[in-house]
Amino acid sequence: MMLKVAIVVIPEAFPHSIIEPLDVFSRCQTIYQRRTGQIHSHKPQVALVAESRELTIELNGIRISPTHEITTEEKFDVVWIPSLMVDDALTYRQRKKMQRWIKDQFQHGAEIATVCTGAFLLAETGLLNHRE
């Protein structure tokens, strides 16, 4: 069984919070083999998911382009929400389509993971309601 990982791409995301998990998930098979000496035959499939594939995040010459849109029928095992640049505009709150997609993935069995201020976007989905 292949692990399917989706990394959320939105304009408010810190680029390193997308690139670093992409690198780790993409290399986890190699890391596992080096640490255990065992070969695991299933390499995770990692997708960069945005509301539109036209969205590109650029910083210092590094370009992040989505591989999938939220309209994909694909169901993921893990959805990673990156850390966000939170400012007075709170624009992440306006990402209603992405919030619905994250919630839909959760309802179809995906584990949702986030780091730091990515929890604000996760909270907007309602999935943290009544949780400590």
Side-chain angles (χ1 to χ4, degrees):
M1 182 176 133
M2 182 183 307
L3 181 69
K4 292 175 158 185
V5 179
I7 299 175
V8 170
V9 177
I10 60 174
E12 297 83 4
F14 278 106
H16 74 274
S17 194
I18 295 171
I19 294 168
E20 290 171 4
L22 173 64
D23 186 42
V24 169
F25 284 122
S26 296
R27 291 189 203 212
C28 67
Q29 182 182 36
T30 303
I31 294 168
Y32 177 82
Q33 184 177 349
R34 285 184 184 159
R35 289 190 177 185
T36 66
Q38 300 173 0
I39 298 173
H40 193 277
S41 60
H42 303 294
K43 184 176 181 177
Q45 175 187 343
V46 184
L48 300 176
V49 182
E51 290 179 4
S52 168
R53 286 191 66 193
E54 294 178 15
L55 170 71
T56 300
I57 297 175
E58 278 192 66
L59 180 68
N60 297 325
I62 297 172
R63 219 173 181 182
I64 300 171
S65 298
T67 59
H68 292 68
E69 291 186 351
I70 58 173
T71 56
T72 183
E73 296 292 320
E74 196 162 357
K75 300 301 176 210
F76 293 92
D77 301 302
V78 176
V79 174
W80 172 267
I81 302 172
S83 184
L84 308 176
M85 293 178 256
V86 180
D87 59 16
D88 292 338
L90 301 176
T91 55
Y92 68 89
R93 289 182 144 179
Q94 299 167 11
R95 306 281 169 224
K96 300 300 182 192
K97 291 178 186 176
M98 181 58 78
Q99 293 165 24
R100 281 192 296 274
W101 181 82
I102 292 167
K103 194 170 186 176
D104 181 62
Q105 289 292 319
F106 176 78
Q107 290 169 341
H108 284 93
E111 297 287 333
I112 311 298
T114 189
V115 62
C116 198
T117 52
F120 295 137
L121 179 62
L122 177 57
E124 290 295 319
T125 68
L127 294 173
L128 297 181
N129 291 355
H130 312 293
R131 296 178 185 249
E132 290 186 30

